[in-house]
C-alpha cells in the first residue's frame, strides 16, 4: 500500500457529508468492513478495513475516510453512482477486484495456494488529537516465500490532514536524523546498510504518544529473515537533531 496523492472533487466530498455537519468535538467511531473469498484451495482473500461509521458527524471525517480508503485499496479502488448522482466508494467492489487478481494468479499454475490478507486497526494518540491507522498486508503469489508490509497513517483530527514525515530526512537536520536512526537499527537488527548516509527514508512512519515510529519493510535495509523492523525516537531525541516537529509546532 504505497501512499497515493489525495484527489477528491468537491462534489464527492459533499456527497460524503450529511446535513449535520457540526464541528463539535467528537471522535471517529469505527465499523470494520470484512470480506473473505476462497476457491477450491487455489486462492484466498481476507480483508479487514476500518470504516468510519459516523463519517457524517464532521467534514474532516469524510476527508480522512476517503484518503484512507484510497491508500488502503490503492490500485483496487472502485466507486459507484448513487441515486442522487454522487460518487461513493464501493468497498465490496474494491475487495472483489483483489479477488479477481488473485484468482488470475491461481489460474496461471498448479503451485501452492495464492493468498492476500489486509488487516487494519485504528487507534488514537496524543490525547486523541491524532488518528492512526495500522495496516498489515501479506500476500503470496508463488516463489520461496510471500510478501508482507506494514503501513501507518497519522491524521490530524482538527484539520483532517495526513502527516507527511518525509521532511525529517531532508534539510540541515536530515544527516543528524539518519545517524540516530541508523545507530538504533544497527544496534537492534542485522541490517545491510553500511553507513548512515546510505539509509533510505523510512517507507512508513507513525506518531506515538511519546515520539515517532520509523518502519522499514523486508529487504529495505535488512534481510528478509529480519522481517519488518522499526525503531521509535522520542520527541526529545528528534528535537536534538534540529528538525522542526510539525505535530507540536
Amino acid at each position: 500500500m504505497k501512499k497515493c496523492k489525495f484527489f477528491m472533487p468537491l462534489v464527492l466530498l459533499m456527497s460524503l457529508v450529511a446535513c449535520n455537519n457540526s464541528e463539535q468535538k467528537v471522535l471517529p467511531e469505527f465499523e470494520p468492513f470484512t470480506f473473505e473469498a476462497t476457491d477450491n484451495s487455489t486462492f484466498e482473500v481476507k480483508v479487514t478495513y476500518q470504516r468510519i461509521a459516523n463519517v457524517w458527524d464532521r467534514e474532516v471525517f469524510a476527508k480522512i475516510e476517503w484518503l484512507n480508503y484510497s491508500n488502503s485499496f490503492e490500485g483496487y479502488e472502485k466507486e459507484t453512482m448513487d441515486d442522487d448522482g454522487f460518487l461513493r466508494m464501493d468497498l465490496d467492489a474494491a475487495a472483489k477486484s483483489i479477488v479477481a487478481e488473485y484468482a488470475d494468479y491461481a489460474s496461471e499454475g498448479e503451485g501452492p495456494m495464492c493468498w492476500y490478507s489486509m488487516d487494519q486497526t485504528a487507534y488514537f494518540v496524543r490525547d486523541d488529537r491524532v488518528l492512526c491507522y495500522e495496516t498489515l498486508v501479506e500476500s503470496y503469489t508463488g516463489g520461496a516465500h510471500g510478501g508482507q508490509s506494514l503501513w501507518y497513517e497519522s491524521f490530524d483530527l482538527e484539520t483532517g490532514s495526513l502527516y507527511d514525515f518525509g521532511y525529517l530526512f531532508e534539510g540541515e537536520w536530515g544527516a543528524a536524523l539518519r545517524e540516530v536512526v541508523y545507530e538504533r537499527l544497527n544496534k537492534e537488527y542485522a541490517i545491510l546498510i553500511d553507513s548512515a548516509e546510505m539509509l533510505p527514508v523510512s517507507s512508513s512512519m507513525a506518531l506515538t504518544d511519546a515520539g515517532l515510529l520509523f518502519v522499514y519493510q523486508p529487504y529495505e535495509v535488512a534481510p528478509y529473515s529480519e522481517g519488518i523492523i522499526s525503531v521509535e525516537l522520542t520527541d526529545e531525541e528528534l528535537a536534538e537533531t534540529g528538525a522542526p516537529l510539525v505535530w507540536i509546532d
Side-chain angles (χ1 to χ4, degrees):
M1 184 185 67
K2 297 180 180 178
K3 299 304 175 188
C4 62
K5 294 182 179 178
F6 174 54
F7 173 78
M8 179 165 47
L10 179 59
V11 67
L12 182 56
L13 177 60
M14 292 174 62
S15 73
L16 292 172
V17 182
C19 294
N20 179 19
N21 194 23
S22 171
E23 292 299 325
Q24 59 183 325
K25 185 63 175 180
V26 294
L27 294 176
E29 299 171 3
F30 297 97
E31 178 183 61
F33 166 82
T34 58
F35 184 97
E36 293 188 22
T38 187
D39 181 66
N40 298 325
S41 298
T42 58
F43 72 87
E44 183 178 60
V45 172
K46 294 182 178 181
V47 172
T48 298
Y49 169 84
Q50 296 297 331
R51 173 171 48 191
I52 298 179
N54 58 333
V55 71
W56 293 283
D57 284 355
R58 294 187 60 199
E59 186 172 333
V60 295
F61 292 176
K63 179 180 178 181
I64 292 171
E65 176 69 19
W66 188 264
L67 186 50
N68 182 50
Y69 166 75
S70 299
N71 285 339
S72 299
F73 289 93
E74 183 182 10
Y76 303 107
E77 309 101 305
K78 299 293 180 182
E79 291 81 41
T80 57
M81 193 80 70
D82 66 13
D83 294 338
D84 296 320
F86 295 124
L87 284 175
R88 295 182 182 273
M89 61 185 67
D90 191 330
L91 289 168
D92 278 298
K96 289 176 181 177
S97 66
I98 299 175
V99 172
E101 180 174 304
Y102 279 77
D104 286 342
Y105 287 137
S107 67
E108 293 175 358
E110 297 182 358
M113 181 176 70
C114 297
W115 49 269
Y116 173 94
S117 171
M118 177 202 298
D119 188 11
Q120 185 173 89
T121 58
Y123 59 95
F124 303 101
V125 297
R126 304 283 172 156
D127 297 322
D128 295 339
R129 291 184 291 106
V130 177
L131 165 62
C132 293
Y133 291 95
E134 178 188 271
T135 307
L136 176 64
V137 176
E138 299 178 288
S139 64
Y140 179 79
T141 58
H145 52 71
Q148 59 178 201
S149 55
L150 184 63
W151 303 101
Y152 286 95
E153 295 175 326
S154 300
F155 287 95
D156 184 333
L157 282 173
E158 183 63 30
T159 65
S161 298
L162 175 63
Y163 282 104
D164 181 356
F165 304 109
Y167 78 93
L168 292 169
F169 286 83
E170 303 170 354
E172 58 190 36
W173 50 77
L177 177 72
R178 277 184 164 86
E179 285 286 350
V180 177
V181 175
Y182 174 78
E183 289 179 5
R184 190 72 59 82
L185 287 171
N186 198 38
K187 180 179 180 180
E188 298 182 15
Y189 304 99
I191 63 174
L192 301 176
I193 302 298
D194 294 328
S195 66
E197 291 76 13
M198 297 175 62
L199 187 70
V201 177
S202 297
S203 58
S204 185
M205 289 170 266
L207 276 177
T208 66
D209 281 321
L212 191 64
L213 188 71
F214 296 81
V215 179
Y216 287 94
Q217 316 301 337
Y219 290 128
E220 283 192 314
V221 298
Y224 181 82
S225 58
E226 288 285 359
I228 300 168
I229 64 177
S230 63
V231 295
E232 181 180 357
L233 300 182
T234 66
D235 287 346
E236 292 75 18
E237 290 173 318
L238 290 167
E240 288 177 359
T241 68
L245 308 187
V246 297
W247 55 93
I248 295 177
D249 300 337

